Amino acid sequence: MLNNILLLLGITLMYSTPLVFGALGGVISERSGVVNIGIEGMMTIGALAAVAGSYFTGNPWMGFIAAGAAGGLFAVLHALAAVTFKADQNVSGIALNLLGPGIALFLARLMWDGGTQSPTITTLPKLFGSGAFQGTPWANLNVDITVVLGLAATLIVWFVLYKTKWGLRVRAVASTPAAADTLGINVSRIRFICVVLSGILAGFGGASITLAIISQFTQTAVAGQGFIALAAVIFGKWTPHGAYGACLLFGMAQALVVILGGGAIAVPSQILAILPYALTLVVLVLFVGKAVAPKADGVPYEKGSRG
Amino acid sequence: MLAAFENNGFNGFSVALIAGSSPIGCIFAGLLFGGLIYGGQSVQLAVGAPTDIINIMIGTIVFFVALARVVTLLAEKLGKRGANHA
């Protein structure tokens, strides 16, 4: 029994981590007033950059950094379109979701001789080193180091948004950009920085899939997790801590799939495959209540307009 | 079976965007996408380019559709500047 509970906990943390990074990216972008549905594309780019970094340097940490850098660079596209040129943020996000997997698969084919699947790479270390608590149920809690990084990132984003002057400005820019502008805050610059930060975080999210969970890049590495992360942003009411909780819940749904699939109780695999998505729907419909987005979320700010 | 439906919903999204939300425009945007996707499958045989290049092309098209408003903004700005000089 203890073993099963710890196993559930371990797998939940493992599967929720990419969602946590993706959702934090969503939170920081939408908290500055830019809708970012391109998280999925940014995560795919990050997932590939992580594998490429680890493959060519042999050091998974280089891969992790490369993922952040690649995600951030890719997000510059969205920032340029949505902030600088005041384009439709949803359309730009969709473009990113199309471009991301396209570029990632294209580069993967170039790097690994026409195949979209990379060789297995060196992954990030476990929290207590490999083989700690071997043979005891507690070994299930020897989670990937990305789990801790995800928690740390959540705390940092929370601290920055709610306890620093800059965070206050970010939130002001999302709710009343005109007022913030009057007080001398550069709305465009803050939004630009936040979108790039969201790309960096989403890139880390992609990295925590390929560098910790599956240890290679495949065509289906990300497979919709960016969209689940977006659902977590809304479920968490646009707060970092709320989004973290939401990601844990969605991670647990995936963990249940793994554990129930283990064969203790006979459940058809098709039913199991729907579980995370069905749970997402049920939770969003029944328990979320009214989710209120930041007031000027998704509205490009024209200098001089009364926002 | 799953692969047969892959991304069709999302591509429909893009078609509507390119068509500028006009039903008639959807016919032509749909034809464009059909051509691109069908061509994507044979581009590998014909010129040896990876099929994924089609996704990059479609993504680029949609990205510039998002930027379409910039052209009118620029035109307005340039028009204003011209008026000031006159």
Side-chain angles (χ1 to χ4, degrees):
Chain A
M1 192 60 204
L2 178 70
N3 193 27
N4 272 343
I5 292 173
L6 291 178
L7 183 66
L8 183 70
L9 199 61
I11 302 179
T12 299
L13 288 171
M14 177 172 94
Y15 278 122
S16 63
T17 305
L19 301 177
V20 166
F21 278 113
L24 286 178
V27 164
I28 202 155
S29 168
E30 308 228 349
R31 270 287 155 163
S32 76
V34 181
V35 169
N36 189 352
I37 59 170
I39 293 283
E40 172 90 3
M42 295 173 188
M43 282 176 82
T44 317
I45 293 281
L48 178 84
V51 171
S54 177
Y55 177 75
F56 288 115
T57 64
N59 182 350
W61 288 108
M62 289 307 288
F64 196 71
I65 294 168
L73 266 180
F74 192 57
V76 168
L77 277 181
H78 187 52
L80 271 179
V83 181
T84 312
F85 294 128
K86 303 180 173 47
D88 188 306
Q89 299 170 0
N90 290 314
V91 183
S92 160
I94 289 173
L96 254 65
N97 281 340
L98 291 164
L99 275 174
I103 295 173
L105 290 176
F106 182 79
L107 291 177
R109 280 189 211 275
L110 284 185
M111 283 189 280
W112 295 294
D113 304 322
T116 53
Q117 193 164 326
S118 81
T120 312
I121 41 126
T122 328
T123 53
L124 289 170
K126 297 273 182 186
L127 181 56
F128 302 111
S130 63
F133 313 116
Q134 200 74 47
T136 64
W138 301 100
N140 292 315
L141 285 188
N142 191 8
V143 289
D144 297 299
I145 196 108
T146 46
V147 171
V148 185
L149 292 176
L151 185 60
T154 310
L155 292 175
I156 292 171
V157 171
W158 176 82
F159 184 82
V160 169
L161 275 181
Y162 294 102
K163 300 287 164 194
T164 66
K165 201 159 78 178
W166 194 74
L168 180 65
R169 286 180 180 172
V170 169
R171 287 182 291 134
V173 157
S175 54
T176 46
D181 191 24
T182 315
L183 294 172
I185 295 170
N186 190 335
V187 175
S188 294
R189 191 168 70 195
I190 287 200
R191 287 188 170 176
F192 200 100
I193 293 172
C194 283
V195 172
V196 172
L197 279 177
S198 106
I200 293 174
L201 285 166
F204 286 157
S208 52
I209 299 172
T210 49
L211 285 178
I213 300 178
I214 58 176
S215 71
Q216 64 176 180
F217 180 80
T218 67
Q219 196 161 1
T220 52
V222 178
Q225 295 193 56
F227 294 114
I228 298 184
L230 280 183
V233 172
I234 299 169
F235 183 21
K237 301 195 172 167
W238 287 271
T239 62
H241 44 287
Y244 188 84
C247 291
L248 280 185
L249 182 79
F250 296 150
M252 198 183 76
Q254 284 186 312
L256 279 176
V257 172
V258 175
I259 288 179
L260 292 178
I265 318 156
V267 186
S269 65
Q270 288 86 349
I271 302 271
L272 286 177
I274 329 173
L275 193 64
Y277 308 101
L279 193 74
T280 306
L281 274 178
V282 169
V283 165
L284 283 178
V285 170
L286 291 183
F287 299 106
V288 174
K290 201 164 175 232
V292 183
K295 206 169 152 206
D297 199 10
V299 187
Y301 177 63
E302 309 270 4
K303 219 170 163 60
S305 71
R306 295 176 192 181
Chain B
M1 270 317 274
L2 209 58
F5 293 103
E6 202 179 11
N7 265 339
N8 268 358
F10 256 104
N11 284 337
F13 231 160
S14 316
V15 165
L17 291 172
I18 289 180
S21 308
S22 124
I24 304 293
C26 281
I27 299 174
F28 298 104
L31 281 173
L32 171 73
F33 262 58
L36 281 174
I37 293 166
Y38 177 72
Q41 291 158 2
S42 44
V43 75
Q44 185 137 28
L45 291 173
V47 290
T51 47
D52 313 299
I53 203 151
I54 292 306
N55 279 332
I56 301 183
M57 277 182 68
I58 294 176
T60 314
I61 294 173
V62 175
F63 187 73
F64 282 100
V65 166
L67 287 181
R69 227 172 59 94
V70 175
V71 180
T72 49
L73 275 180
L74 269 180
E76 261 173 40
K77 255 192 187 161
L78 288 177
K80 263 186 201 163
R81 200 176 285 173
N84 285 345
H85 279 297

